[in-house]
Amino acid sequence: MSTLLLKNIRWLATFDDEQPELEGAWLLIRDRVIERVGAAHDIPPEDADRVILLSNHVVLPGLINTHHHMFQSLTRVLAQERELFDWLGALYPIWSGLRSEDLYIAAKLAIAELLLSGCTTASDHHYIYPNDVQLEDEIRAAKEMGIRFHAARGSMSLGESDGGTPPDRLVEREPDILRDTQRLIETWHDPAPQSMLRIVVAPCSPFSVTVDLMRQAAELARDYDVLLHTHLAENDKDVTYSLDSFGMTPGQYAEDVGWVGADVWHAHCVKLNADEIGLFGRTGTGVCHCPSSNMRLASGIAPIRQLLNNRVKVGLGVDGSASNDCGHLLGEARQALLLARALGDPAALSAREALHMASRGGAAVLGRDDIGQIAPGKSADVIAFRLDGPGMAGALHDPLAALVFCQPPTVDLSIVNGAIVVEDGNLLSTDLPVLIEKHNQLSAQLIRGDR
């Protein structure tokens, strides 16, 4: 059993139940688990297999990304001035050319970007399966990169000819969707503590699947005790579609098809009303806040303060790399803070609340109590940022808040499941220049339709 001691930590934010922040602290990792956490006056062990000194770092639990579309890293900066529905319409034809290798390389690139931003756990919502694409393409990438992964088996079954938004050629038959989702759960889902891979049941959205699929997907997920995820109430057109198609608001529709509860989380929720927020709070339904994507697509500002005040579980997500064009999760925490305050209240969201959403909040949304905090018995997912860069100068009196208020840095040290994946700011699990070159080649081919 190997041990790793992180010692002389300048500032440690545990985000555990007591929320302590410690100066001069240390923590001991044994294999995949945090064994001990000590304050400056506690004597650390002397016999660790490896010791890392962090006297110039702020340390916190690995960040958790609760919504992404990794394949979209291949199609950034397209449809630059379109809202959600028109943006999708512009990109669907390009995405129809997606192939297995594209998804694999796109996922590796997106995960590299996340890891370097301090993310150690990510959920990806993949909902498009043209040509030879399978969810295993992402699973393989996640295993190779060393990130803790929740693979959400998305789907689209309601094409344009039936009143949905995606082109008919991109939808799947619902029996095939359910069959493949069941296969993935039975093959890959690991419910154990410290699990590195879990499967999520995730029809894409109310405007791209049928009511029957939403209900059958919920039944399937609950038969196997796995989580449910979809998009909801993202913009005004989304709400109009729900009212016109179902005679219900998005939150009412979610309740009607069985998509509320502690095993469900929804992405965006920009347009939830007060009744829907109360419903989510009472039922334990989670929300993923994607501030950058919401701003990029002019979707609006999610009611985060109201959600938190109603005890709704809220995590953060970078969302798709073609609607955010960035995968920096710490940067997303900064955007969340700034966007909440843009409504006129300078106390609408604090730096520590933003980081809590990015850690403990994300863990709650994903139904996990083994990540998102630094405490004995929890998974050894730990990150450290340097404090001696120019972007932090003048802010060392509160280094934790500096991570959010100042320029978002890249991580200096990242440990996932007890293994070092980033050291001295360098990603260890891939040759990054080679990956970037391959990714750009595939991106150019996909965008040009050169296949």
Side-chain angles (χ1 to χ4, degrees):
M1 299 177 72
S2 64
T3 53
L4 172 63
L5 177 64
L6 307 183
K7 191 176 177 182
N8 298 347
I9 299 168
R10 170 73 175 272
W11 197 280
L12 172 65
T14 66
F15 286 97
D16 68 6
D17 290 339
E18 303 302 321
Q19 295 281 295
E21 296 178 22
L22 305 171
E23 294 185 72
W26 55 268
L27 65 91
L28 179 68
I29 294 169
R30 187 177 299 275
D31 290 335
R32 301 185 301 154
V33 176
I34 296 167
E35 185 172 278
R36 295 170 60 192
V37 179
H41 60 268
D42 298 320
I43 299 175
E46 298 179 355
D47 58 350
D49 296 314
R50 184 175 180 190
V51 177
I52 298 178
L53 301 179
L54 297 172
S55 57
N56 204 23
H57 292 73
V58 56
V59 173
L60 60 159
L63 306 182
I64 299 166
N65 179 38
T66 60
H67 185 68
H68 207 333
H69 306 297
M70 292 179 177
F71 79 97
Q72 293 181 12
S73 65
L74 294 161
T75 56
R76 287 169 158 155
V77 203
L78 295 172
Q80 296 176 16
E81 297 175 357
R82 303 196 185 192
E83 57 76 48
L84 174 64
F85 281 45
D86 293 339
W87 172 85
L88 286 169
L91 286 163
Y92 279 139
I94 299 173
W95 294 340
S96 67
L98 192 73
R99 295 179 180 173
S100 174
E101 184 185 23
D102 300 329
L103 179 56
Y104 166 67
I105 294 297
K108 288 193 73 170
L109 190 285
I111 291 168
E113 194 174 10
L114 287 171
L115 287 169
L116 288 169
S117 77
C119 177
T120 57
T121 297
S123 178
D124 190 69
H125 187 189
H126 187 74
Y127 54 83
I128 186 168
Y129 294 87
N131 306 309
D132 58 345
V133 170
Q134 297 184 82
L135 197 62
E136 275 87 352
D137 301 324
E138 289 193 324
I139 291 172
R140 177 162 65 102
K143 286 178 174 287
E144 292 176 5
M145 296 297 287
I147 199 166
R148 201 178 297 277
F149 197 51
H150 284 230
R153 206 299 184 184
S155 54
M156 299 192 297
S157 66
L158 191 68
E160 288 176 316
S161 63
D162 293 318
T165 57
D168 290 349
R169 67 182 181 276
L170 285 180
V171 302
E172 300 175 86
R173 294 178 61 251
E174 294 187 352
D176 296 337
I177 292 168
L178 294 167
R179 187 180 306 110
D180 189 55
T181 304
Q182 180 177 345
R183 177 191 67 81
L184 288 162
I185 296 168
E186 293 176 348
T187 304
W188 297 109
H189 182 70
D190 178 8
Q194 281 79 53
S195 167
M196 290 291 286
L197 178 60
R198 292 183 180 175
I199 302 297
V200 179
V201 180
C204 182
S205 65
F207 51 81
S208 59
V209 301
T210 68
V211 173
D212 284 345
L213 183 62
M214 291 293 284
R215 289 181 173 142
Q216 291 178 62
E219 291 174 4
L220 174 65
R222 286 166 181 145
D223 284 345
Y224 281 89
D225 195 23
V226 301
L227 298 189
L228 289 156
H229 180 55
T230 193
H231 299 85
L232 195 77
E234 187 168 351
N235 72 359
D236 288 331
K237 285 187 177 180
D238 193 347
V239 176
T240 298
Y241 182 92
S242 184
L243 291 170
D244 290 347
S245 300
F246 315 121
M248 293 177 274
T249 65
Q252 291 170 334
Y253 173 75
E255 183 178 29
D256 185 68
V257 294
W259 275 70
V260 295
D263 57 351
V264 181
W265 89 98
H266 298 280
H268 300 292
C269 295
V270 173
K271 298 297 180 177
L272 290 186
N273 62 35
D275 290 340
E276 293 167 322
I277 292 171
L279 169 68
F280 279 26
R282 292 191 304 274
T283 57
T285 306
V287 168
C288 172
H289 180 36
C290 305
S292 293
S293 176
N294 294 342
M295 287 188 284
R296 207 271 212 191
L297 297 176
S299 297
I301 301 176
I304 296 305
R305 185 71 266 161
Q306 295 93 320
L307 289 164
L308 294 175
N309 288 347
N310 280 270
R311 301 184 180 277
V312 177
K313 298 179 297 187
V314 181
L316 288 181
V318 300
D319 198 19
S321 295
S323 68
N324 181 336
D325 309 292
C326 176
H328 199 300
L329 190 55
L330 183 60
E332 210 65 28
R334 185 175 193 268
Q335 294 285 44
L337 177 139
L338 297 177
L339 189 59
R341 296 180 178 203
L343 292 170
D345 179 4
L349 194 70
S350 72
R352 283 164 173 78
E353 284 179 313
L355 289 172
H356 190 277
M357 286 196 298
S359 54
R360 285 297 291 272
V365 162
L366 295 183
R368 302 191 67 145
D369 62 4
D370 58 337
I371 58 175
Q373 57 183 302
I374 294 175
K378 304 302 180 182
S379 296
D381 294 1
V382 180
I383 56 175
F385 294 91
R386 294 192 68 90
L387 293 171
D388 56 355
M392 294 288 188
L396 300 189
H397 56 92
D398 191 348
L400 189 62
L403 290 178
V404 182
F405 278 99
C406 300
Q407 175 183 330
T410 55
V411 77
D412 187 60
L413 174 71
S414 178
I415 300 165
V416 184
N417 206 39
I420 297 175
V421 296
V422 177
E423 188 169 16
D424 297 327
N426 297 310
L427 187 62
L428 304 182
S429 52
T430 192
D431 187 331
L432 197 53
V434 172
L435 174 62
I436 292 169
E437 182 179 6
K438 182 63 175 178
H439 183 276
N440 281 330
Q441 290 173 354
L442 295 175
S443 171
Q445 292 172 8
L446 183 65
I447 293 171
R448 290 196 309 260
D450 181 17
R451 295 301 172 92

